[in-house]
């Protein structure tokens, strides 16, 4: 009897694993700052879906099945969430808890911890400009969702760290850092269009790339930018070089990934996610 139950369990597991396609297995990590993948079924035309009133990416998996790829904001509390589909359906998914570590950083430039009034005016203006770029949603399927690493180098500061600058807590780390030498070329992890280039108070020299359907990459602290707004980049094209501009204590490459306006862990898209 026990042997039969074990065989049945193994069969059910095998069928479930087979039902999930490659993208679902790669991307489905429904935690704060993670990604939820929901099966929307087969059919034509492609369905449309939204989460928290924002459109989400819908792509094909395994040839016929449509899936929604939903970014989950880092501030989202664990529990049930709802995706809305344009055919009237609502699909539920559960956000699981995840605990992020702390990081303590010492900065000699105290204005980068407690900015002056004129700094705040600049910061707020730059934040609005960048949030507008993050809200971009263009049609078209991204060239790839298993992304290339933008630079060759080890991962340093992970996504989601609770950050303390000179002992004062600030926003959590919204991207993934790569340790790399000054001047190391930074390459586009997927094809896309440059939608914003700037030199910002915190981020330094920065490039935003739209990969399609609300899938946005942001690279900052660059020493040099080799692209301009409107440029169409192929996968692997050089967009700039590693630097330490803005609020940085040394040369490194900071990479943000955004889905439906939410910053999510880039490690998910390079197969390096860990709980």
């Amino acid at each position: 009897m026990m042997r039969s139950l074990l065989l049945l369990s193994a069969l059910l597991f095998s069928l479930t694993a087979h039902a999930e396609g490659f993208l679902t297995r790669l991307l489905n990590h429904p935690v704060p700052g993670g990604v939820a993948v929901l099966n929307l079924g087969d059919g034509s035309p492609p369905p449309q879906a939204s989460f928290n009133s924002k459109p989400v990416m819908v792509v094909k998996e395994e040839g016929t099945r449509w899936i929604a790829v939903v970014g989950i904001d880092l501030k989202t509390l664990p529990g049930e969430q709802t995706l809305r589909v344009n055919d009237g359906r609502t699909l539920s998914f559960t956000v699981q808890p995840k605990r992020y570590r702390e990081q303590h950083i010492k900065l000699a430039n105290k204005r980068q911890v407690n900015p002056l009034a004129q700094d705040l005016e600049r910061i707020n203006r730059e934040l609005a400009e960048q949030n507008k770029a993050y809200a971009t949603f263009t049609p078209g399927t991204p060239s790839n969702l298993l992304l290339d690493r933008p630079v060759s180098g080890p991962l340093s500061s992970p996504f989601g760290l609770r950050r303390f600058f000179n002992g004062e807590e600030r926003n959590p780390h919204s991207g993934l850092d790569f340790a790399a030498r000054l001047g190391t070329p930074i390459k586009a992890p997927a094809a896309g269009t440059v939608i914003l280039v700037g030199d910002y108070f915190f981020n330094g020299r920065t490039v935003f790339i739209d990969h399609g359907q609300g899938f946005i990459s942001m690279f900052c602290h660059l020493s040099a930018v080799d692209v301009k707004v409107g440029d169409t980049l192929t996968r692997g094209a050089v967009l700039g070089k590693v630097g330490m501009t803005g609020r940085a204590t040394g040369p490194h490459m900071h990479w943000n990934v955004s889905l439906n306006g939410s910053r999510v862990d880039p490690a998910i898209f390079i197969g390096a996610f860990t709980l």
Side-chain angles (χ1 to χ4, degrees), residues 55-122:
V56 303
M57 181 193 299
V58 174
V59 296
K60 266 190 177 178
E61 180 178 54
E62 304 300 318
T64 60
R65 177 176 56 222
W66 295 102
I67 56 172
V69 183
V70 185
I72 305 169
D73 191 88
L74 193 55
K75 296 178 181 177
T76 304
L77 297 176
E80 189 172 285
Q81 298 290 333
T82 301
L83 179 80
R84 299 188 180 279
V85 189
N86 65 329
D87 59 10
R89 286 180 292 161
T90 57
L91 303 177
S92 296
F93 62 96
T94 301
V95 176
Q96 304 293 337
K98 177 174 169 62
R99 183 177 179 83
Y100 292 97
R101 296 190 289 109
E102 294 182 2
Q103 181 184 47
H104 292 261
I105 300 171
K106 289 289 185 182
L107 290 175
N109 185 348
K110 292 180 171 56
R111 285 176 64 181
Q112 291 184 332
V113 181
N114 295 296
L116 303 177
Q118 61 265 35
D119 297 330
L120 289 173
E121 290 181 10
R122 175 186 173 187

Side-chain angles (χ1 to χ4, degrees), residues 170-231:
R170 293 295 183 264
N171 290 331
H173 195 224
S174 61
L176 184 64
D177 288 352
F178 289 76
R181 293 180 181 274
L182 193 71
T184 300
I186 301 170
K187 299 179 181 180
T193 301
V194 179
I195 56 172
L196 184 62
V197 173
D199 191 350
Y200 300 121
F201 185 85
F202 288 126
N203 290 354
R205 295 190 182 99
T206 301
V207 174
F208 280 72
I209 298 177
D210 171 21
H211 303 296
Q213 292 200 59
F215 191 31
I216 310 292
S217 281
M218 185 275 278
F219 312 85
C220 65
H221 307 309
L222 278 60
S223 61
V225 172
D226 298 328
V227 294
K228 63 184 184 302
V229 172
D231 283 354

